[in-house]
Amino acid sequence: MAQHPSHQDESHHVGHDQDHSHDHNHNHCIDSALATAETLCIEQGQRLTKVRRRALELIWESHRPLGAYQLLAKLAEEGFNSAPPTVYRALDFLLGAGLIHKVESMNAYLGCAHADKAHKGYFLICDECHNVMEFDYQDIHAALIAKAAQQGFELRAETIELTGLCAECKATNTSAANTQGTRT
Amino acid sequence: MAQHPSHQDESHHVGHDQDHSHDHNHNHCIDSALATAETLCIEQGQRLTKVRRRALELIWESHRPLGAYQLLAKLAEEGFNSAPPTVYRALDFLLGAGLIHKVESMNAYLGCAHADKAHKGYFLICDECHNVMEFDYQDIHAALIAKAAQQGFELRAETIELTGLCAECKATNTSAANTQGTRT
DNA sequence: ACAATTTTGTTATGATATAACAATTGAATC
DNA sequence: GATTCAATTGTTATATCATAACAAAATTGT
Ligand SMILES: [Zn+2]
Ligand SMILES: [Zn+2]
Ligand SMILES: [Zn+2]
Ligand SMILES: [Zn+2]
């Protein structure tokens, strides 16, 4: 529930080596996320089964949020059952364990790099390249709690999804002097 | 895009006379919203046709956010065409005109009481009674813009949806001394 | 009246998500 | 190891949310 102070105001850029040569090959992120997942599941007596584990890997391997049916297709390719409940069960498990977030405005799922710290995901979503950056902003969190409390509202969960143009796409659009402006 | 300062930090409680005797019969809200809609559409050379107008009324008459197919059913009862495009077209029009908001986390649509001022809706959503309160919080808006700008991100749209327990439900739950705590 | 534009009707399909129940697997106990 | 119980997965069906494509009708401007 409470956000951890350790990476307050820090951002973690998720998905960033799609096409345009940001070649941070993020195997490190994946390995780290999987290791965290193992640890957390063991600690909590949860079972990170094959399909759950592979689903988590596939979500991380995707460089942007992955839809449930996209994930299902990938799992099916690898011999897992191809019916929807398979993927939704895996997603429910991973969401419950805090290992992934759902981006409501995209109906898509994204690995969380800070699964070990309970928090809600705040996202910056680029309209252009569809990359998503998760950020943690303690000030906003506190302000939202306070604002809700003013209304007598007890805050439990937050969906904060900001869309717009990321730095790279803004640079590209500007420098390329493209005529179509900010397309979608 | 910019939120207007006039109702900064003010909240408008949407949907509040459902069952438990908050008998603000909100005909006033509906009438006011419809009048605003007329004015806005005329000003902008937009046509508030029968189906669009009735859709807006029905959304307002509902005391909580209305799903597209719920709305479609109501329209169909009244002799409008009952195929999905009918309702999605009306919703698109109303969204475009700023007369309603979509609550992403509920896939539902809600009348906006401040359609005359361009803004994004910020919502408090009760897990218990499903009422939704729209609030406007200039401080948070400014902080989000600043935070995004720090990352080089140009903010275009915001989805801010907070869930939890509203004041009434908190009171009910507490006073009823229910054993189940904060269920859901 | 005529043409151009917008809106609506209609059919079909895509995309996202869950219900219900059976079969299998895993872990704990006997 | 066999037994039992709970958790997980398989399977079929369906619910829910949303859009594509094209035809028909209504509205607007001339
Ligand atoms: Zn996270
Ligand atoms: Zn981008
Ligand atoms: Zn509003
Ligand atoms: Zn409530």
Side-chain angles (χ1 to χ4, degrees), chain B residues 47 49-52 81 83-86 89 93:
Chain B
R47 290 165 54 193
T49 60
K50 276 183 197 168
V51 66
R52 291 168 176 175
N81 181 18
T86 296
R89 283 165 178 158
F93 175 86

Side-chain angles (χ1 to χ4, degrees), chain A residues 41-118:
Chain A
C41 289
I42 289 169
E43 279 177 13
Q44 298 168 16
Q46 302 278 110
R47 290 166 53 193
L48 190 65
T49 60
K50 276 182 198 170
V51 66
R52 291 167 175 176
R53 184 191 174 88
R54 190 61 188 136
L56 181 58
E57 283 175 355
L58 287 166
I59 287 171
W60 273 104
E61 285 173 12
S62 160
H63 293 155
R64 24 184 87 89
L66 203 54
Y69 280 71
Q70 292 175 273
L71 176 56
L72 182 58
K74 287 175 193 276
L75 288 170
E77 277 176 16
E78 302 184 6
F80 292 97
N81 182 16
S82 66
T86 297
V87 77
Y88 283 103
R89 284 164 178 161
L91 289 170
D92 284 349
F93 175 85
L94 297 171
L95 286 167
L99 297 168
I100 61 173
H101 296 291
K102 178 176 184 183
V103 183
E104 292 289 348
S105 59
M106 302 177 78
N107 293 317
Y109 304 84
L110 185 65
C112 174
H114 308 103
D116 51 330
K117 322 284 176 106

Side-chain angles (χ1 to χ4, degrees), chain B residues 42-73:
Chain B
I42 289 169
E43 280 177 11
Q44 298 167 17
Q46 301 279 110
R47 290 165 54 193
L48 190 64
T49 60
K50 276 183 197 168
V51 66
R52 291 168 176 175
R53 185 191 173 89
R54 189 62 188 135
L56 181 58
E57 283 176 355
L58 287 167
I59 287 170
W60 273 105
E61 285 173 12
S62 161
H63 294 156
R64 24 184 86 89
L66 202 54
Y69 279 68
Q70 291 175 273
L71 175 57
L72 182 58

Side-chain angles (χ1 to χ4, degrees), chain B residues 2 7 9 16 20 34-35 37 39 48 62 66 92 101 106 113 123 152 154 158 165:
Chain B
H7 63 293
D9 256 350
H16 226 293
H20 48 310
L34 266 288
T39 305
L48 190 64
S62 161
L66 202 54
D92 283 348
H101 296 291
M106 301 178 79
F123 302 107
E154 179 188 312
E158 302 160 55
L165 201 57

